[in-house]
Amino acid sequence: MPNRRLALAATAVAVLIALPAHAQTEIQWWHSMGGALGEWVNDLAKEFNASQTAYKVTPTFKGSYDESMTAAIAAFRAGNAPDILQVFEVGTATMMASKGAIKPVGEVMKGAGVPFDPGAYVPAVAGYYTAPNGQMLSFPFNSSTPVLHYNKDAFKAAGLDPEKPPTTWPEVASAAAKLKTSGHKCPFTTSWISWTQLESFSAWHNVLFSTLNNGFGGTGTRLAFNTPLHVRHIENLANMAKQGLFVYKGRGNAADATFVSGECAMVTGSSALYGNVTRNSKFGYGIGTLPYYPDVPGAPQNTVIGGASLWVMNGKKPEVYKGVGQFFAYLSQPEVAAKSHQRTGYLPVTKAAFELTDKSGFYKKNPGTDVSVTQMIRKTTDKSRGVRLGNFVQIRTIIDEEMEGVWGGKKSAKDALDTAVKRGNEQLERFQKANRG
């Protein structure tokens, strides 16, 4: 009997030793970052977890932005949504309309007792995620903007100045012709057609993509990207495609891999391609501004954000919200935010992170890494603040479909843009009806 008591006592002591002094609060974070960016997200969680003992952030990759958003909506309806959800900028209007599903980030920070000043964030970024009443709804995390990435080695081989990227669309066409003559089979390509060639193109030229200030003025917005300027640009790209100067490589960011591999010499795409290129490419690499048409008054203005923000889901326990608040405060620390910006090519989310990066000499040592920032920190206008539309994912798919008709020589630029506007407006009407009041 005594032996049995001793054994039981030893077991109890072993159990007590095995138990942590305080159970950690786990925070589930669903994201869409693969490859080098997935490693970055995992490192952020690890570093935060190591910095304190009360909370444990667990990041989970849930596929592409579209897939993770669909999965989160299904999970919310089933009552098991994640605590934090990374949503790309295209889903912002949909998340804003899902009032019962989200908890505004300002409320989360206040509840966690964490100082929170929306004015500390880069204005063009913070403004995008702010409601008309001035309340910041989501946490700016990985904001990008479109830039021109180019292969310096390919430029040298074609007799082009590797330190002078083309800044205008006529210069892009001219550089592409020289690259083709030197034997390049893919002189220029682009990822994210709608984002780079229509949305950012509009803001960069200070023209509307859609009415009511690109949707910021309400759900009655309607598409407006079939003006003579837009038609001229898509016609020019179609002509470049016919001559083998522009090679279409697919939807989303499919074109990115063809630049990293060296197959394509120039690509307009996300500034966040930087991390992938610096890690995986084997050529001299340069970054230039998004090209523009020099005869358009007011161009260039500013580009618009892409990437994503972090939304906090509703219906969680108070300790979870406290942990989320602490995690967001950690991500906002100038040193942490600056390190993220320098590692990935995403924009610095706070002004302090930009200033710290600048003072460190990072931009001087890595020419071109400040292009995305300088494109974004210019003064914005009502036409260039960004594009915030309901059913935006579906609208982008429509644009991809119509543009593919142009690249394949089956449709004229005007027909394709007119049809995309008509079909896209049907999506906007549906969203407006579903969200009246």
Side-chain angles (χ1 to χ4, degrees):
M1 196 72 170
N3 284 348
R4 190 161 173 249
R5 277 191 198 134
L6 278 170
L8 283 168
T11 306
V13 169
V15 167
L16 284 169
I17 290 167
L19 284 172
H22 297 287
Q24 278 186 317
T25 299
E26 192 164 345
I27 294 157
Q28 290 294 333
W29 175 17
W30 287 8
H31 68 88
S32 298
M33 303 273 92
L37 293 174
E39 289 169 22
W40 164 59
V41 161
N42 290 336
D43 286 347
L44 282 174
K46 269 186 216 151
E47 287 155 14
F48 170 72
N49 293 343
S51 74
Q52 45 72 54
T53 55
Y55 309 103
K56 184 189 176 192
V57 171
T58 305
T60 307
F61 176 71
K62 296 301 279 190
S64 69
Y65 282 135
D66 289 9
E67 288 162 348
S68 62
M69 195 165 164
T70 305
I73 289 164
F76 178 76
R77 284 178 184 149
N80 56 1
D83 306 309
I84 303 170
L85 175 66
Q86 183 191 28
V87 179
F88 60 160
E89 91 287 7
V90 183
T92 300
T94 301
M95 294 301 287
M96 284 173 81
S98 314
K99 292 188 174 68
I102 60 138
K103 193 171 177 74
V105 71
E107 272 180 39
V108 172
M109 302 302 262
K110 192 177 174 187
V114 177
F116 179 64
D117 173 19
Y121 297 84
V122 173
V125 176
Y128 190 84
Y129 299 115
T130 299
N133 66 0
Q135 186 180 44
M136 204 152 137
L137 298 175
S138 62
F139 179 79
F141 176 58
N142 59 307
S143 292
S144 57
T145 204
V147 294
L148 176 79
H149 304 271
Y150 70 102
N151 181 327
K152 288 186 174 182
D153 294 354
F155 267 50
K156 272 185 212 157
L160 292 159
D161 186 342
E163 302 311 319
K164 281 198 178 166
T167 58
T168 68
W169 282 108
E171 285 171 5
V172 170
S174 169
K178 285 184 179 163
L179 287 158
K180 190 188 174 194
T181 303
S182 75
H184 232 284
K185 295 219 165 37
C186 176
F188 168 73
T189 188
T190 186
S191 59
W192 301 110
I193 289 280
S194 176
W195 183 48
T196 61
Q197 305 310 320
L198 289 172
E199 297 159 37
S200 274
F201 175 86
S202 299
W204 201 220
H205 291 85
N206 202 29
V207 297
L208 286 172
F209 176 84
S210 71
T211 63
L212 296 181
N213 298 335
N214 295 324
F216 278 76
T219 56
T221 179
R222 295 296 179 262
L223 302 172
F225 55 76
N226 55 347
T227 69
L229 174 63
H230 293 97
V231 172
R232 166 189 167 193
H233 178 53
I234 300 304
E235 266 173 3
N236 286 344
L237 288 178
N239 288 332
M240 284 176 70
K242 275 181 205 152
Q243 296 165 53
L245 306 180
F246 161 48
V247 182
Y248 176 64
K249 290 292 184 179
R251 299 184 186 185
N253 67 345
D256 291 353
T258 67
F259 176 74
V260 177
S261 70
E263 180 192 344
C264 295
M266 296 184 283
V267 63
T268 43
S270 169
S271 56
L273 183 55
Y274 171 81
N276 189 351
V277 179
T278 50
R279 197 178 81 154
N280 298 314
S281 70
K282 296 182 170 57
F283 52 79
Y285 166 51
I287 303 168
T289 57
L290 193 68
Y292 67 99
Y293 289 101
D295 60 325
V296 175
Q301 180 65 40
N302 62 277
T303 49
V304 297
I305 66 167
S309 64
L310 303 181
W311 292 79
V312 186
M313 304 308 281
N314 218 344
K316 306 293 179 182
K317 291 178 179 168
E319 58 267 32
V320 168
Y321 290 132
K322 274 191 183 155
V324 171
Q326 293 295 334
F327 180 49
F328 287 175
Y330 174 81
L331 295 177
S332 300
Q333 286 175 18
E335 296 77 12
V336 175
K339 191 174 153 195
S340 286
H341 161 54
Q342 292 165 31
R343 176 173 173 174
T344 63
Y346 282 118
L347 295 162
V349 291
T350 64
K351 295 173 197 164
F354 169 61
E355 284 156 14
L356 195 62
T357 302
D358 195 20
K359 273 184 201 151
S360 75
F362 179 81
Y363 299 130
K364 279 186 183 141
K365 280 184 225 141
N366 302 276
T369 50
D370 60 338
V371 165
S372 59
V373 188
T374 53
Q375 280 186 181
M376 284 294 291
I377 58 173
R378 296 160 185 253
K379 190 173 179 348
T380 59
T381 69
D382 284 340
K383 292 173 182 171
S384 70
R385 236 176 108 193
V387 181
R388 203 160 69 188
L389 308 178
N391 289 345
F392 206 170
V393 176
Q394 295 90 323
I395 290 166
R396 275 198 177 169
T397 302
I398 288 165
I399 288 168
D400 281 335
E401 287 168 4
E402 294 300 331
M403 291 303 102
E404 280 164 359
V406 178
W407 317 140
K410 291 176 187 143
K411 275 196 161 186
S412 73
K414 184 164 188 343
D415 282 351
L417 289 171
D418 285 346
T419 310
V421 164
K422 184 174 176 289
R423 289 176 63 198
N425 281 341
E426 287 163 10
Q427 292 292 334
L428 290 173
E429 281 159 29
R430 262 182 226 161
F431 185 80
Q432 187 181 15
K433 276 178 194 159
N435 293 284
R436 285 202 193 283

